[in-house]
């Protein structure tokens, strides 16, 4: 069928209002969160799993490229088309309207459909006193459960590791080019046909006795031992880790995922935050190794900030901090989505910057008084390195004894126990840091060429975690910003460069240095269209999607169709 016939088919399946074809209406969905943009014949919004399946059937029959899209919060262009050099028509299936969530065994596990956000999950689990894999952080404003699984997302919680499950329901295209449904949810008796299975899963038409017990994991149950292995010569977690690539987990959109079954976690009875300052990075290395190797109880969080990102976030992340502190998180996903759509609209308005909302928010927050606690500001002036350590239950006393008897006796090191308000604001400040560099670039667009944002995983035994860059890189740099998940040795590193800097050349130099150091990248946001996939990751993608139907081109791989029907 021709394009118009295909669009009519889509409209027949989900209704005309759920099919976007006009360029100005599809632009937002054809663009990456920070960068990247490409063409698409249509953007489709199914409202049920059966509709999603029928759209897939039509797209596969028409020999289309299919990009499965959720909240579009990834930072490496992996959930949108990239460029206009595809060999087939591109269809985007946005699944954010399929939001059904099922609690199993009183919430010990959940079944999440593809549009369920991490924020929605967190709210639902609070009703049964359970916690999800991830809590509020740079990845959870609007991000979905399935999106986290598909990208092996990590997060701030030390005990959790990468988002992972071996229990999923998904569609794939075989090497013969046929669409098939694979049910590995571990639930029997759901039906015989794909549509029957999908409808029963969505409606929760299954009984406890249909849920199978098996050795299949619904989380990375081995991660606690892994993160404690401080002498290991490999990173604790990173996107391309072959040990955590399994079907939907790490698929990066090379499958059409309908549902995942994942573990949840008990809520601690008590939590305490400790704010730690230090001027000697070797002392923080000692603290990390001592806690991970000697404590009976692992921390809940161990979030690192360098003084420079502390200062930048204080000024350029203030609106995010104030929004969450005063308005809460419930309405933030809608706010950020609306803001993104306004920016897309402003791109078409002559003589008006699309960044106008960001610039207005920046200047508006200058009217508000200082928002950070006095003791945090005092530590900012005294210490270059900052660590927010959250302990729970039995770990609180362990941390108190260690910090009082060992840490406080070190030169140029100190700590304080946060009050409830201080702890909340310390974590909000760390959260605001994630977007501070982007806001700086927006406000100083005339002076800044670009931001190079890297998320890297250092080896677990690496003591030289403070980066030393050659003059060839630093000569064109405005500033380097370091923050991240210290116990996991996963760091976010944002580099702001002067106007005229050759950032492509600089990025190549940086990645070469990281490779020589034994680091892995990206650690959390996956390869998208910005990084070359490692050999084992390419092989994994090929095995999932032998015809290159889903999300072609990620990992800098080919965008062209593969004919694998002749393969053995």
């Amino acid at each position: 069928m021709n394009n118009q016939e295909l669009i009519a088919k889509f409209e027949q399946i989900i209704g005309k209002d759920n099919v976007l074809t006009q360029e100005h209406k599809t632009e937002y969905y054809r663009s990456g969160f920070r960068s990247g943009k490409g063409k698409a014949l249509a953007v489709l919004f199914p409202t049920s799993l059966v509709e999603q399946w029928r759209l897939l059937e039509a797209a596969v029959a028409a020999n289309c490229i299919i990009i499965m899209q959720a909240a579009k919060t990834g930072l490496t262009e992996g959930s949108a088309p990239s460029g206009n050099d595809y060999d087939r028509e591109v269809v985007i299936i946005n699944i954010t309207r399929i939001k059904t969530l099922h609690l199993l065994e009183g919430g010990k596990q959940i079944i999440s459909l593809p549009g369920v956000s991490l924020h929605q999950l967190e709210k639902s689990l609070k009703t049964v006193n359970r916690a999800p894999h991830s809590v509020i952080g740079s990845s959870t404003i609007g991000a979905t459960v399935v999106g986290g699984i598909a990208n092996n997302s990590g997060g701030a919680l030390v005990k959790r590791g990468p988002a992972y499950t071996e229990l999923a329901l998904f569609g794939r295209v075989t090497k013969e080019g046929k669409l098939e449904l694979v049910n590995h949810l571990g639930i029997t008796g759901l039906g015989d046909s794909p549509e029957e299975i999908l409808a029963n899963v969505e409606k929760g038409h299954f009984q406890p006795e249909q849920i199978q017990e098996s050795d299949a994991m619904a989380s990375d149950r081995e991660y606690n031992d892994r993160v404690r292995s401080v002498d290991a010569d490999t990173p604790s977690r990173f996107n391309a880790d072959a040990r955590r690539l399994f079907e939907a987990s790490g698929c990066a959109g090379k499958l059409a995922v309908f549902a995942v079954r994942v573990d949840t976690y008990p809520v601690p009875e008590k939590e305490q935050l400790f704010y730690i300052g230090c001027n000697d990075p070797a002392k923080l290395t000692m603290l990390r190794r001592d806690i991970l190797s000697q404590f009976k109880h692992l921390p809940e969080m161990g979030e690192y900030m360098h003084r420079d990102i502390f200062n930048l976030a204080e000024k350029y992340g203030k609106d995010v901090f104030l929004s969450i502190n005063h308005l809460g998180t419930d309405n933030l996903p809608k706010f950020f989505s609306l803001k993104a759509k306004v920016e897309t609209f402003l791109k078409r308005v002559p003589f008006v910057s699309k960044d106008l909302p960001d610039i207005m928010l920046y200047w508006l927050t200058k009217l508000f008084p200082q928002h950070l606690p006095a003791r945090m500001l005092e530590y900012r002036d005294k210490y270059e390195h900052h660590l927010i350590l959250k302990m729970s239950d039995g770990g609180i006393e362990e941390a108190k004894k260690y910090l009082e008897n060992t840490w406080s006796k070190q030169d140029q090191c100190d700590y304080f126990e946060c009050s409830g308000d201080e702890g909340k604001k310390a974590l909000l400040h760390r959260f605001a840091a994630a977007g501070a560099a982007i806001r700086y670039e927006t406000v100083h667009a005339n002076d800044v060429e670009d931001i190079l944002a890297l998320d890297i995983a250092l080896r677990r035994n690496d003591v030289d975690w403070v980066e030393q860059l050659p003059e060839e890189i630093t000569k064109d740099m405005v500033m380097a910003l370091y923050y991240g998940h210290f116990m996991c040795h996963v760091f976010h590193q944002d580099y702001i460069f002067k106007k005229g800097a050759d950032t492509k050349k600089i990025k190549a130099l940086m990645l070469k240095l990281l490779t020589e150091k034994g680091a892995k990248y990206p650690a959390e946001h996956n390869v998208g269209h910005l990084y070359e996939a490692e050999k084992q990751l390419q092989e994994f993608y090929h095995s999932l999607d032998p015809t290159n139907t889903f999300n072609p081109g990620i990992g800098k791989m080919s965008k062209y169709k593969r004919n694998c029907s002749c393969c053995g």
Side-chain angles (χ1 to χ4, degrees):
M1 63 181 72
N2 60 39
N3 287 347
Q4 288 306 312
E5 290 172 331
L6 181 58
I7 291 169
K9 179 69 172 176
F10 291 149
E11 291 175 350
Q12 179 186 350
I13 295 170
I14 57 175
K16 193 169 184 178
D17 291 343
N18 292 324
V19 179
L20 299 184
T21 57
Q22 294 175 289
E23 283 198 3
H24 71 277
K25 291 184 178 180
T26 63
E27 183 178 6
Y28 169 73
Y29 302 98
R30 294 186 289 105
S31 306
F33 185 79
R34 282 188 179 174
S35 61
K37 184 178 177 181
K39 70 171 186 176
L41 174 67
V43 181
L44 312 173
F45 298 88
T47 57
S48 72
L49 295 184
V50 170
E51 286 185 352
Q52 182 183 338
W53 174 260
R54 290 173 180 171
L55 291 175
L56 288 167
E57 285 184 314
V60 170
N63 191 33
C64 289
I65 284 170
I66 300 167
I67 295 178
M68 302 302 303
Q69 184 182 85
K72 209 168 65 74
T73 58
L75 304 182
T76 56
E77 304 179 11
S79 55
S82 178
N84 301 314
D85 56 342
Y86 294 97
D87 62 336
R88 294 150 285 165
E89 294 288 359
V90 176
V91 171
I92 299 170
I93 301 180
N94 184 293
I95 46 70
T96 52
R97 297 179 185 178
I98 311 176
K99 297 178 177 292
T100 303
L101 172 67
H102 301 300
L103 303 184
L104 307 180
E105 295 184 76
K108 291 182 180 179
Q109 288 188 333
I110 62 105
I111 290 179
S112 170
L113 270 57
V116 173
S117 70
L118 295 174
H119 185 250
Q120 176 189 345
L121 174 59
E122 187 176 3
K123 286 183 65 178
S124 296
L125 289 177
K126 279 182 180 178
T127 65
V128 292
N129 202 34
R130 301 287 293 183
H133 172 272
S134 298
V135 296
I136 187 168
S138 59
S139 65
T140 64
I141 298 298
T144 60
V145 176
V146 167
I149 293 292
N151 290 294
N152 291 124
S153 297
L157 298 178
V158 176
K159 304 174 184 178
R160 305 290 202 259
Y164 182 74
T165 187
E166 297 168 0
L167 300 164
L169 177 66
F170 55 89
R172 66 183 177 193
V173 175
T174 67
K175 63 185 181 182
E176 293 81 19
K178 304 297 183 182
L179 178 67
E180 68 174 9
L181 183 69
V182 178
N183 178 15
H184 288 166
L185 270 182
I187 300 177
T188 61
L190 291 172
D192 298 319
S193 70
E195 292 195 7
E196 188 179 4
I197 293 169
L198 293 167
N200 283 328
V201 168
E202 182 159 6
K203 295 173 183 175
H205 286 174
F206 47 84
Q207 300 301 317
E209 57 268 22
Q210 294 175 243
I211 301 172
Q212 296 175 307
E213 297 292 334
S214 71
D215 293 332
M217 291 195 291
S219 63
D220 188 350
R221 298 196 298 254
E222 303 162 352
Y223 188 72
N224 281 10
D225 292 334
R226 186 172 179 84
V227 76
R228 284 184 180 276
S229 300
V230 293
D231 292 316
D233 199 33
T234 55
S236 59
R237 59 178 172 89
F238 57 100
N239 290 136
D241 187 355
R243 61 185 281 279
R244 287 298 170 256
L245 298 175
F246 184 85
E247 295 181 344
S249 295
C251 71
K254 301 300 281 184
L255 299 171
V257 181
F258 292 98
V260 293
R261 179 176 156 191
V262 297
D263 289 332
T264 67
Y265 305 86
V267 174
E269 293 182 10
K270 186 179 179 182
E271 293 181 330
Q272 176 63 53
L273 264 74
F274 301 90
Y275 199 93
I276 294 167
C278 181
N279 284 321
D280 182 355
K283 299 291 175 58
L284 273 183
T285 297
M286 176 195 75
L287 178 143
R288 172 182 171 270
R289 292 176 62 87
D290 286 351
I291 289 176
L292 292 178
S293 62
Q294 298 174 20
F295 277 30
K296 178 181 178 182
H297 303 277
L298 283 174
E300 296 292 325
M301 290 186 188
E303 291 297 286
Y304 169 78
M305 293 179 73
H306 186 272
R307 177 191 281 152
D308 290 343
I309 187 65
F310 184 112
N311 290 334
L312 199 79
E314 178 190 9
K315 188 174 181 180
Y316 295 92
K318 190 173 181 180
D319 64 301
V320 172
F321 181 103
L322 293 175
S323 298
I324 299 175
N325 191 49
H326 295 296
L327 302 178
T329 57
D330 283 1
N331 294 314
L332 282 182
K334 293 179 182 177
F335 170 77
F336 280 105
S337 177
L338 176 62
K339 177 175 169 288
K341 290 176 182 178
V342 169
E343 291 168 349
T344 301
F345 169 76
L346 290 176
K347 289 179 183 178
R348 305 193 301 273
V349 179
F351 311 113
V352 178
S353 170
K354 73 173 180 64
D355 297 319
L356 182 62
D358 277 315
I359 295 170
M360 290 177 63
L361 286 169
Y362 166 73
W363 288 106
L364 180 64
T365 56
K366 285 182 169 291
L367 302 176
F368 289 80
Q370 174 58 252
H371 57 292
L372 296 178
R375 288 201 287 185
M376 284 178 61
L377 295 171
E378 178 187 337
Y379 268 50
R380 181 268 310 277
D381 295 336
K382 288 177 65 176
Y383 300 113
E384 182 180 0
H385 305 285
H386 299 241
L387 183 68
I388 304 166
L389 181 68
K390 181 193 275 192
M391 303 298 297
S392 64
D393 299 336
I396 296 173
E397 276 306 311
E398 275 190 303
K400 284 183 178 180
K401 289 178 181 178
Y402 178 86
L403 292 172
E404 182 179 348
N405 298 332
T406 302
W407 182 255
S408 62
K409 292 179 170 56
Q410 306 295 317
D411 290 336
Q412 293 292 299
C413 300
D414 208 347
Y415 78 98
F416 65 85
E417 291 185 36
C418 295
S419 67
D421 184 66
E422 286 174 326
K424 175 186 175 184
K425 290 180 176 178
L427 290 177
L428 278 181
H429 188 53
R430 163 62 185 89
F431 171 64
I438 298 296
R439 177 61 53 78
Y440 180 93
E441 179 188 32
T442 299
V443 174
H444 300 279
N446 293 332
D447 305 312
V448 172
E449 178 66 30
D450 198 3
I451 291 177
L452 176 57
L454 301 178
D455 56 298
I456 67 163
L458 297 180
R459 295 171 298 173
R460 285 168 281 174
N461 65 352
D462 199 337
V463 296
D464 298 321
W465 55 274
V466 177
E467 190 172 55
Q468 303 294 325
L469 294 172
E471 196 270 339
E472 185 179 9
I473 291 174
T474 59
K475 64 183 176 68
D476 290 321
M477 187 181 290
V478 177
M479 66 181 79
L481 305 165
Y482 301 94
Y483 54 103
H485 316 304
F486 191 63
M487 298 295 162
C488 303
H489 250 197
V490 170
F491 290 89
H492 299 284
Q493 303 182 176
D494 295 341
Y495 308 91
I496 304 175
F497 290 98
K498 302 172 186 175
K499 210 72 172 174
D502 187 347
T503 54
K504 288 186 177 180
K505 178 183 176 182
I506 292 169
K507 181 178 180 179
L509 288 171
M510 283 186 161
L511 296 184
K512 183 174 182 290
L513 290 173
L514 290 170
T515 300
E516 292 171 353
K517 188 178 174 63
K520 291 290 186 179
Y521 53 84
E524 293 192 322
H525 291 288
N526 222 333
V527 290
H529 288 280
L530 299 184
Y531 295 90
E532 183 176 353
E534 295 182 11
K535 184 173 184 290
Q536 84 273 9
L537 188 58
Q538 292 190 31
E539 292 172 351
F540 177 64
Y541 291 158
H542 282 163
S543 70
L544 297 180
D545 183 25
T547 61
N548 210 20
T549 295
F550 290 101
N551 214 7
I554 58 167
K556 296 190 178 294
M557 296 164 63
S558 172
K559 293 181 178 179
Y560 294 162
K561 184 174 183 177
R562 287 191 299 272
N563 182 1
C564 293
S565 60
C566 60
C567 299

